[in-house]
Amino acid sequence: MKRVVNQSISIRRRLLLQLLFVAILLSGLLYLSVRTVADSAVERTQDSILGAATIAIAEELRGGEEGVAVDIPYTAFSMLGSIGQDRVFYRITIGDETVTGYDELALPTEPLNGLTPLFYDDAYRGLLVRAAAVERSVLVNGKALPVRVIVAQTRTSQQTIVASLAERAALLGIGFFVIAVGLSLLTARLVVKPVSSLVEAVGRRGPQDLRPVQRPVPRELVPLVTALNGFMSRLSVALSRTETFIAEAAHHIRTPLATLRAQAEIALRQTENEEARQTIRSMIRSVDTSARSAGQMLEHAAVVFRSDQRSDEQIDLSLLVEDITESYEPSAEMKGVRLVCLPHAHDITVDADRILLEAALRNLIDNAIKYTPKDGLVEVSVISAEGFARLEVKDSGRGLFGAQAAQLTGRFQRGANVEDVVGSGLGLTIVKEVARSLNGRFEIVEREEGGTCAALYVPLRSR
Ligand SMILES: Nc1ncnc2c1ncn2[C@@H]1O[C@H](COP(=O)(O)OP(=O)(O)OP(=O)(O)O)[C@@H](O)[C@H]1O
Ligand SMILES: [Mg+2]
């Protein structure tokens, strides 16, 4: 069947993509926040050690008659040394004048607030350093002088700690992402599960199963299932009305036509007038044509209807062929045609709709008898060939006059060979429809020795 549903990206994939996007976002945020927190924690720790060392030096400043004396405490440097292999520089100034230490070390640009350290970044001799500065008044010669103590330290070990923390944050982010991917897959599967099981349950049904869907479904799917159930119940009503209509129409058309034909036959027998007899004969012919057309149209409608509502069963084709052939023996006899069912194997079985198969076979035998003259021969047989059962009806009739199957199987198409034979041109349309519905095929060819050979192929029952 042609696919008429426009397909877009699956719910599962859509959900998965969205969850993955969220997972990537959250993993990134996690990485950034862990890094930010770790960086500032490392910086604060180092600053507090640097600040403590600077204060410790400042507290050792002593005034006197001649100037400022400082006894740099060993503990100040051992504190800083505990952080790592960083280099430490210091500078003590009164105003802008260096008392001791490295006088290239930059002074703080902001005013200092006593022993509360001011921290700033600087570059000293091409090295990136972190500096802390405090200020203290020292009495020199009875005069209070502001003395500034600056201690700076390179940042190598801080950078090493930050790099190792960054690595851990990245690992944490990746770990989080992997777990999130696993959970996303699980979630996507769980969310789609009710939809998949509904689809599976509906898909498992045969085409004629129009019962409402009863299984519990999530609340979001209730409108869809309600609409589906409503549609199926309306379809079921419409189908049963169609079936009734076909059956009733067949009855109501055939019966009056049969009565009309019988009355015309009686009138023909009772009339001596040749002109009136001629008129009645053409009337009988018209009735035959109409009855044939009505019958074939209804049979075609029934076959089309049945094609969508197939009710397959295991059918032994040899028995079916024998039965149908037998039912045509009276009409063959009336026409003086010999109708035979050729011997065949008894295990050719197919899974098919019996009504469809019978309709096809009846039309093939009907044609063979119709288009074969008196004393002709019609042979019906069934064989199995390459996975298919081949139902064959051969006749010794007039042949097809070169017509091809494609022309003859069209609706209301009759061949140039029909002459006075009554027909509507729907018989082979029915056969073709049956072949299509049963996943088989139909062939009709002219026989070399004269006559026609029509064959319907139906897939054999898979064992
Ligand atoms: N066995 C046959 N021998 C010769 N011609 C055939 C044979 N079977 C079919 N045909 C040709 O194919 C045409 C189509 O056949 P089809 O059965 O569809 O229509 P029909 O027999 O004319 O009418 P009806 O619908 O009443 O059967 C026929 O009109 C005839 O020309
Ligand atoms: Mg026919």
Side-chain angles (χ1 to χ4, degrees):
M1 197 194 282
K2 217 169 110 189
R3 208 174 179 155
V4 286
V5 181
N6 268 339
Q7 192 180 313
S8 72
I9 186 169
S10 85
I11 300 179
R12 204 174 137 185
R13 188 166 294 179
R14 196 178 297 214
L15 195 64
L16 206 60
L17 286 177
Q18 281 171 4
L19 289 174
L20 286 183
F21 175 71
V22 173
I24 291 172
L25 203 72
L26 288 182
S27 309
L29 279 179
L30 181 71
Y31 169 75
L32 285 180
S33 50
V34 169
R35 264 211 74 165
T36 318
V37 170
D39 285 3
S40 77
V42 169
E43 190 168 282
R44 250 183 290 131
T45 311
Q46 209 188 17
D47 277 359
S48 63
I49 298 171
L50 195 60
T54 316
I55 294 167
I57 296 173
E59 276 170 350
E60 291 300 321
L61 292 171
R62 278 185 308 280
E65 297 284 299
E66 285 157 30
V68 179
V70 63
D71 190 5
I72 293 186
Y74 171 74
T75 48
F77 291 108
S78 68
M79 246 192 273
L80 292 170
S82 69
I83 291 182
Q85 299 302 312
D86 281 322
R87 293 175 64 190
V88 179
F89 311 97
Y90 71 95
R91 182 179 176 185
I92 298 170
T93 63
I94 300 174
D96 284 346
E97 191 186 322
T98 305
V99 179
T100 176
Y102 302 77
D103 55 5
E104 290 157 46
L105 210 56
L107 295 172
T109 47
E110 289 169 45
L112 296 175
N113 181 17
L115 286 179
T116 311
L118 175 81
F119 298 101
Y120 55 95
D121 291 323
D122 192 18
Y124 176 70
R125 289 187 189 163
L127 295 170
L128 211 61
V129 293
R130 180 79 172 157
V134 292
E135 191 176 60
R136 207 189 128 194
S137 290
V138 180
L139 276 176
V140 178
N141 241 342
K143 225 170 103 192
L145 290 179
V147 181
R148 282 188 288 186
V149 178
I150 300 142
V151 178
Q153 187 178 29
T154 54
R155 313 188 65 177
T156 323
S157 50
Q158 185 186 347
Q159 277 161 353
T160 315
I161 296 171
V162 166
S164 104
L165 284 175
E167 197 179 301
R168 279 182 204 185
L171 283 177
L172 196 69
I174 292 171
F176 179 82
F177 179 71
V178 170
I179 293 173
V181 168
L183 288 176
S184 303
L185 282 170
L186 196 70
T187 311
R189 182 171 301 174
L190 288 179
V191 168
V192 173
K193 202 172 168 210
V195 181
S196 325
S197 55
L198 176 68
V199 169
E200 202 183 313
V202 174
R204 257 202 316 264
R205 292 165 164 232
Q208 56 277 78
D209 186 352
L210 295 175
R211 283 172 304 143
V213 176
Q214 301 281 16
R215 60 176 24 241
V217 289
R219 203 180 325 144
E220 292 81 353
L221 291 182
V222 168
L224 176 71
V225 174
T226 313
L228 184 69
N229 284 349
F231 172 72
M232 288 202 296
S233 82
R234 287 200 302 280
L235 181 65
S236 153
V237 170
L239 286 176
S240 71
R241 274 195 201 138
T242 311
E243 206 169 14
T244 317
F245 170 79
I246 293 172
E248 284 179 354
H251 177 71
H252 287 284
I253 294 172
R254 275 193 200 126
T255 317
L257 283 177
T259 315
L260 185 62
R261 192 184 198 285
Q263 284 168 350
E265 291 269 11
I266 295 168
L268 184 67
R269 263 184 245 136
Q270 290 170 348
T271 311
E272 298 293 323
N273 181 328
E274 194 43 41
E275 212 171 305
R277 286 174 70 86
Q278 203 57 40
T279 312
I280 295 171
R281 266 196 214 102
S282 76
M283 193 174 122
I284 290 175
R285 202 181 142 72
S286 298
V287 169
D288 282 348
T289 312
S290 308
R292 179 74 195 172
S293 295
Q296 286 292 76
M297 273 164 71
L298 292 166
E299 172 128 275
H300 185 228
V303 162
V304 171
F305 171 80
R306 192 86 190 177
S307 302
D308 295 332
Q309 299 276 303
R310 261 172 62 184
S311 158
D312 285 359
E313 58 183 290
Q314 187 182 335
I315 299 172
D316 184 339
L317 282 185
S318 44
L319 294 179
L320 182 107
V321 166
E322 277 165 20
D323 283 355
I324 306 272
T325 311
E326 205 182 303
S327 71
Y328 273 87
E329 262 158 21
S331 41
E333 209 172 308
M334 251 170 62
K335 186 141 189 237
V337 170
R338 202 151 65 87
L339 174 64
V340 291
C341 193
L342 295 181
H344 40 245
H346 268 268
D347 59 350
I348 303 177
T349 51
V350 291
D351 276 326
D353 188 298
R354 185 178 288 276
I355 294 188
L356 290 182
L357 265 184
E358 286 182 357
L361 193 58
R362 272 202 315 270
N363 270 291
L364 293 183
I365 299 179
D366 177 72
N367 279 351
I369 297 173
K370 252 186 359 184
Y371 299 108
T372 300
K374 196 168 180 301
D375 297 329
L377 172 68
V378 172
E379 290 168 320
V380 186
S381 63
V382 53
I383 54 164
S384 64
E386 292 165 4
F388 284 87
R390 177 182 152 100
L391 289 159
E392 189 183 80
V393 180
K394 277 192 295 194
D395 64 55
S396 60
R398 60 185 75 174
L400 298 173
F401 287 18
Q404 299 298 309
Q407 294 161 266
L408 303 175
T409 51
R411 271 165 70 84
F412 303 109
Q413 295 298 315
R414 304 199 71 204
N417 59 352
V418 292
E419 294 165 14
D420 60 338
V421 178
V422 171
S424 63
L426 276 173
L428 295 187
T429 314
I430 292 170
V431 180
K432 197 177 142 193
E433 176 67 31
V434 170
R436 188 198 62 79
S437 169
L438 299 180
N439 302 318
R441 63 179 197 277
F442 171 62
E443 285 169 2
I444 181 164
V445 288
E446 203 144 359
R447 296 170 70 197
E448 274 174 24
E449 58 271 47
T452 306
C453 173
L456 171 68
Y457 290 80
V458 184
L460 282 172
R461 180 165 205 269
S462 46
R463 284 154 205 272

